[in-house]
């Protein structure tokens, strides 16, 4: 194991998946610790006292919080292999912009799709697809958002792919029908070992969402 | 470098635009700040340069647009390396980014919950705002700046928001100096820097703007 790399995580978290992918891309051995979010460990509360959330990356005993922050940290520390952020400062700013766009939009809209019904759900579905189409525009004809190589924006977005099935089932729509290029990109990413082994199984995510709906009393 | 190569699409009272101007000032760079009329009609250049959000600030470097103030400040720091705004070690940088993100997610919205409120300001809104500032006080500790001994990235992200605090205090009925004295003294310290003082507006003028905005929105 690299000198003390620990990841406090929760298996369905798309944010945790980002960090898992980054660690896998850099071939860093680490200890994965599953958190029970209804009963958070002392270590989690101590290492992330501000937000009390996963994922928390602990490196040599020191915590790094917030998934995109962790991905940048991993990229900077293990900078001798598999670069995630572009070297060019303008391209790097552009990558940060789109990762930030994913952060601002995709989680909340996806959540609304499975948590709501009727008009609210329809509005969320429409906005969700609009956002995915903007991302398709940014991808263009490139293999990855990083261009030829898998990179930062790919890491930021691809974890949501394993949640798409749950969104589709709950929202009764097909994401592939609306955004075929994006799905093709996601499938391309899934051929990478770092992605395939970091993402959760989509059927298990859907079961998890159904369980959450029951717990929250959502039909 | 000629002024025309660095342009910021600006709005005088926007704390997000101020971040960019302070960063450019810290680097000793000349730039043109082009005021946008956010109420009357945004310029074609703004709409074309920031099609996703259609917001200020937009920073144009040789015509190439950059959006989102924290990302712009990072870009400025990486493109013009002296003086550095972020620490050199990855852990220090991760800490700085964490606090910049915290400030981004929390402070402006929490202050908005106070200055935008109709009628009596909810107690929860005041408590939340003070709680956030106290969290920042803890992060600051006994340091002169969030960055440590020198003014840097997190200070740049945070300081512009403080010119809105007078409006929050007057509408909320409390003072930051009383609740969070360390934040108050850090604010005064930062305002002594020329890079900050020459662009941050007078809080009284920001308060007037807030009152005008409240009237426009039918809150007053």
């Amino acid at each position: 194991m690299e000198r003390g790399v620990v990841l406090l995580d929760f298996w369905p978290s798309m944010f945790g998946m980002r960090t898992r992918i980054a660690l896998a891309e850099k071939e860093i051995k680490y200890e994965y610790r599953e958190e029970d979010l209804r009963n958070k460990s002392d270590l989690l509360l101590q290492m992330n006292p501000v937000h009390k959330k996963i994922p928390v990356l602990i490196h040599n005993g020191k915590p790094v919080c917030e998934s995109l922050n962790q991905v940048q940290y991993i990229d900077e520390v293990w900078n001798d292999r598999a670069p995630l952020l572009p070297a060019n400062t303008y391209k790097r700013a552009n990558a940060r912009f789109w990762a930030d766009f994913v952060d601002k939009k995709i989680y909340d809209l996806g959540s609304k799709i499975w948590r709501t019904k009727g008009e609210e759900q329809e509005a969320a579905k429409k906005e969700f697809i609009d956002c995915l189409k903007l991302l398709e525009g940014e991808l263009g004809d490139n293999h990855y958002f990083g261009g030829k190589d898998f990179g930062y924006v790919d890491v930021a977005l691809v974890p949501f792919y394993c949640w798409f099935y749950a969104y589709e089932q709950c929202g009764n729509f097909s994401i592939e029908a609306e955004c075929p290029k994006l799905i093709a990109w996601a499938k391309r990413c899934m051929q990478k070992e770092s992605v395939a082994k970091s993402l959760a199984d989509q059927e298990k995510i859907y079961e998890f969402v159904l369980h959450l709906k029951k717990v929250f009393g959502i039909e | 470098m000629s002024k025309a190569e660095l342009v910021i699409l600006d709005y005088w009272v926007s704390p997000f635009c101020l971040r960019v101007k302070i960063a450019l000032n810290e680097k000793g760079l000349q730039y043109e700040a082009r005021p946008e009329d956010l109420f009357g009609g945004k310029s074609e250049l703004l709409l074309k340069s920031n099609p996703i959000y259609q917001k200020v600030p937009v920073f144009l470097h040789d015509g190439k647009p950059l959006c989102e103030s924290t990302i712009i400040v990072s870009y400025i720091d990486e493109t013009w390396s002296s003086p550095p705004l972020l620490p050199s070690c990855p852990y220090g940088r991760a800490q700085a980014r964490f606090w910049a993100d915290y400030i981004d997610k929390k402070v402006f919205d929490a202050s908005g919950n106070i200055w935008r409120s109709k009628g009596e300001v909810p107690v929860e809104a005041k408590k939340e705002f003070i709680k956030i500032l106290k969290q920042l006080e803890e992060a600051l500790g006994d340091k002169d700046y969030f960055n440590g001994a020198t003014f840097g990235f997190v200070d740049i992200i945070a300081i512009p928001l403080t010119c809105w605090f007078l409006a929050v205090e007057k509408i909320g009925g409390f003072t930051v100096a009383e609740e969070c004295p360390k934040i108050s003294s850090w604010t005064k310290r930062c305002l002594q820097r020329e890079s900050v003082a020459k662009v941050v507006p007078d809080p009284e003028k920001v308060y007037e703007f807030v009152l005008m905005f409240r009237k426009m929105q039918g809150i007053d």
Side-chain angles (χ1 to χ4, degrees), chain A residues 48 50-51 62-66 69 72-73 76-77 89-90 92-93 96-98 100-101 104-105 134, chain B residues 52-53 64-68 71 74-75 78-79 90-91 93-95 97-99 101-102 105-106 135:
Chain A
N48 192 357
V50 176
H51 299 303
K62 295 194 292 193
V64 179
C65 304
E66 297 300 297
N69 214 7
Q72 289 190 81
Y73 175 80
E76 288 178 6
V77 172
T89 55
Y90 187 77
R92 202 177 312 158
R96 287 181 176 135
F97 175 86
W98 285 103
D100 177 68
F101 175 82
K104 279 182 163 76
K105 301 282 188 179
L134 286 171
Chain B
I52 306 286
Y53 302 118
K64 290 192 299 192
L66 291 113
C67 310
E68 296 300 294
I71 293 172
S74 295
Y75 173 80
E78 288 172 358
T79 306
Y91 189 72
R93 296 154 78 81
Q95 289 295 93
R97 286 176 184 138
F98 175 86
W99 287 109
D101 176 70
Y102 179 84
K105 280 188 169 97
K106 303 273 191 183
Q135 182 71 79

Side-chain angles (χ1 to χ4, degrees), chain A residues 204-219:
Chain A
K204 291 203 161 67
I205 293 288
Y206 181 44
E207 267 171 47
F208 174 70
V209 166
L210 290 176
H211 163 77
L212 285 180
K213 279 162 79 95
K214 210 176 273 175
V215 163
F216 293 134
I218 307 165
E219 264 164 57

Side-chain angles (χ1 to χ4, degrees), chain B residues 136-146 148-149 182 189:
Chain B
L136 289 173
E137 269 198 328
E138 217 182 292
L140 181 62
D142 292 319
K143 306 194 296 288
D144 270 359
Y145 301 104
F146 284 97
K182 274 187 177 172
R189 194 175 299 124

Side-chain angles (χ1 to χ4, degrees), chain A residues 33-90:
Chain A
R33 284 197 210 171
E34 187 72 22
E35 283 284 332
D36 176 359
L37 297 187
R38 294 157 305 177
N39 185 21
K40 292 176 181 177
S41 70
D42 285 341
L43 183 63
L44 171 57
L45 299 175
Q46 187 200 347
M47 291 283 143
N48 192 357
V50 176
H51 299 303
K52 303 178 172 58
K53 286 181 174 181
I54 55 89
V56 179
L57 180 74
I58 308 172
H59 184 205
N60 298 331
K62 295 194 292 193
V64 179
C65 304
E66 297 300 297
S67 60
L68 290 181
N69 214 7
Q70 291 160 0
V71 175
Q72 289 190 81
Y73 175 80
I74 289 164
D75 201 38
E76 288 178 6
V77 172
W78 290 277
N79 57 8
D80 56 342
R81 56 193 109 150
L84 295 171
L85 275 155
N88 172 280
T89 55
Y90 187 77

Side-chain angles (χ1 to χ4, degrees), chain B:
Chain B
M1 191 172 291
S2 71
K3 267 174 108 175
E5 293 179 49
L6 304 181
V7 176
I8 167 173
L9 304 184
D10 187 27
Y11 192 67
W12 70 277
V13 79
S14 158
F16 309 103
C17 295
L18 289 168
R19 289 170 171 176
V20 178
K21 287 186 272 191
I22 294 169
L24 292 166
N25 290 342
E26 282 287 312
K27 300 285 186 177
L29 294 164
Q30 301 283 345
Y31 58 92
E32 180 194 344
R34 274 192 220 166
E36 284 284 332
D37 180 1
L38 298 185
F39 299 101
K42 294 173 180 175
S43 72
E44 280 299 311
L45 182 60
L46 173 57
L47 300 176
K48 192 180 70 158
S49 308
N50 191 357
I52 306 286
Y53 302 118
Q54 303 188 346
K55 284 182 175 181
V56 291
V58 174
F59 178 60
L60 294 149
H61 182 194
D62 292 341
K64 290 192 299 192
L66 291 113
C67 310
E68 296 300 294
S69 58
T70 305
I71 293 172
I72 297 169
V73 173
S74 295
Y75 173 80
I76 290 168
D77 195 38
E78 288 172 358
T79 306
W80 295 277
S81 51
S82 178
L85 302 175
L86 273 164
S88 53
C89 80
Y91 189 72
R93 296 154 78 81
Q95 289 295 93
R97 286 176 184 138
F98 175 86
W99 287 109
D101 176 70
Y102 179 84
I103 290 161
D104 259 348
K105 280 188 169 97
K106 303 273 191 183
V107 180
F108 196 66
D109 283 352
S111 60
N113 287 340
I114 294 172
W115 64 256
R116 280 176 198 264
S117 58
K118 200 168 183 157
E120 182 139 355
V121 176
V123 170
E124 274 318 306
K126 287 197 252 189
K127 273 189 176 164
E128 178 67 13
F129 181 76
I130 291 166
K131 184 174 148 206
I132 290 164
L133 289 195
K134 282 194 172 0
Q135 182 71 79
L136 289 173
E137 269 198 328
E138 217 182 292
L140 181 62
D142 292 319
K143 306 194 296 288
D144 270 359
Y145 301 104
F146 284 97
N147 214 45
T150 53
F151 183 79
F153 188 72
V154 179
D155 306 288
I156 293 173
I157 298 304
I159 192 64
L161 295 157
T162 63
C163 68
W164 286 69
F165 286 0
L166 181 71
V168 173
E169 287 170 335
K170 289 204 168 174
I171 294 166
F174 63 92
T175 71
V176 171
E178 209 177 285
E179 302 281 349
C180 304
K182 274 187 177 172
I183 292 291
S184 215
S185 36
W186 161 82
T187 304
K188 291 195 177 97
R189 194 175 299 124
C190 291
L191 287 170
Q192 281 167 5
R193 293 182 77 75
E194 204 200 325
S195 64
V196 178
K198 70 182 185 183
V199 290
V200 172
D202 178 357
E204 288 285 358
K205 293 213 154 61
V206 178
Y207 179 47
E208 272 169 40
F209 171 84
V210 166
L211 291 178
M212 175 214 72
F213 185 84
R214 282 168 63 94
K215 212 168 259 171
M216 251 175 63
Q217 300 277 299
I219 302 172
D220 256 341

